[in-house]
Amino acid sequence: CAAVTVWHAMFEHAKLKAGDTVLLQGTGGVSIFGLQFAKATGIRAIITSSSDEKLERAKVLGAAHGINYKTTPEWDKAALDLTGGAGVDHVVEVGGAATLTRSFGALRPGGKVTLIGGLSGGATELNPGLIFSRRANVQGISVGSTQMFEAMNRAVEVNAIKPVIDRVFPFGEAKAAYHRMASGAHFGKIVIGVG
């Protein structure tokens, strides 16, 4: 689900191509799959995290740049600097209320924001001026179609992309898996398995 959701965002909504720049928020499953797809297709990825260690891991996976949003709270301005003031072509927005305004700040005029999640809660008030000033295209999505899933799987196969698994928990430890996810300590996907 995470992979086809970010595929939908990047290639169906934003129609990214080699040489474009995407901003990915955090190092959870959606963003790490997005990073892997970006690397495989020649898209420049900027990724955010509150952990320098996670940013280094993301760079090993192909991130062009990492921004620690704890030490650089104005990460939108940092993203602008990293793009020579132009702004990113696309933001994969998973943060919600705490990140949406900065997502528009990082965006190039005419760029796209795909709303996927709201980890920090739903935005209670949106300033339409943010959309007008960037002439932004904003779309909310969830998962993707069968055709998107099949296209994504072809790309996964051709590029030998393997999901990044943070940790596998036995089914009996499902509660611990959810606690790990809630803590934000994970990098990539958390798996709950049987056996």
Side-chain angles (χ1 to χ4, degrees), residues 6 9-24 34 38 41 43-44 88-92 108 112:
V6 77
M10 292 172 64
F11 301 106
E12 298 292 329
H13 174 231
K15 301 195 182 322
L16 294 178
K17 60 193 178 313
D20 287 345
T21 303
V22 64
L23 188 141
L24 301 159
T41 57
I43 296 165
R44 180 180 174 208
V88 301
D89 297 291
H90 181 224
V91 178
V92 177
R108 73 164 172 80
K112 297 184 179 182

Side-chain angles (χ1 to χ4, degrees), residues 131-189:
I131 298 171
F132 298 138
S133 68
R134 292 287 190 217
R135 296 183 311 283
N137 177 298
V138 182
Q139 182 172 328
I141 65 164
S142 60
V143 198
S145 69
T146 301
Q147 292 81 12
M148 292 175 204
F149 183 68
E150 290 170 349
M152 178 202 72
N153 281 321
R154 287 189 297 273
V156 165
E157 183 177 353
V158 167
N159 292 287
I161 295 173
K162 302 287 184 215
V164 175
I165 306 297
D166 175 76
R167 189 164 161 201
V168 177
F169 289 85
F171 188 75
E173 295 179 23
K175 192 173 185 178
Y178 283 105
H179 284 298
R180 179 152 179 86
M181 187 169 67
S183 76
H186 63 292
F187 184 94
K189 293 301 290 176

Side-chain angles (χ1 to χ4, degrees), residues 28-176:
V30 168
S31 293
I32 294 301
F33 273 120
L35 175 57
Q36 291 175 293
F37 293 148
K39 181 176 187 215
T41 57
I43 296 165
R44 180 180 174 208
I46 299 172
I47 197 161
T48 65
S49 176
S50 62
S51 163
D52 289 335
E53 177 190 348
K54 288 181 181 181
L55 291 173
E56 287 306 314
R57 289 180 69 188
K59 287 179 184 176
V60 169
L61 288 175
H65 302 284
I67 304 170
N68 184 320
Y69 62 80
K70 291 287 188 192
T71 59
T72 308
E74 293 184 337
W75 53 263
D76 52 335
K77 292 179 181 175
L80 283 175
D81 289 344
L82 292 169
T83 59
V88 301
D89 297 291
H90 181 224
V91 178
V92 177
E93 170 60 56
V94 299
T99 57
L100 191 56
T101 297
R102 295 215 182 273
S103 290
F104 285 110
L107 195 65
R108 73 164 172 80
K112 297 184 179 182
V113 175
T114 307
L115 302 172
I116 293 176
L119 295 174
S120 64
T124 57
E125 189 174 317
L126 176 63
N127 176 357
L130 296 172
I131 298 171
F132 298 138
S133 68
R134 292 287 190 217
R135 296 183 311 283
N137 177 298
V138 182
Q139 182 172 328
I141 65 164
S142 60
V143 198
S145 69
T146 301
Q147 292 81 12
M148 292 175 204
F149 183 68
E150 290 170 349
M152 178 202 72
N153 281 321
R154 287 189 297 273
V156 165
E157 183 177 353
V158 167
N159 292 287
I161 295 173
K162 302 287 184 215
V164 175
I165 306 297
D166 175 76
R167 189 164 161 201
V168 177
F169 289 85
F171 188 75
E173 295 179 23
K175 192 173 185 178

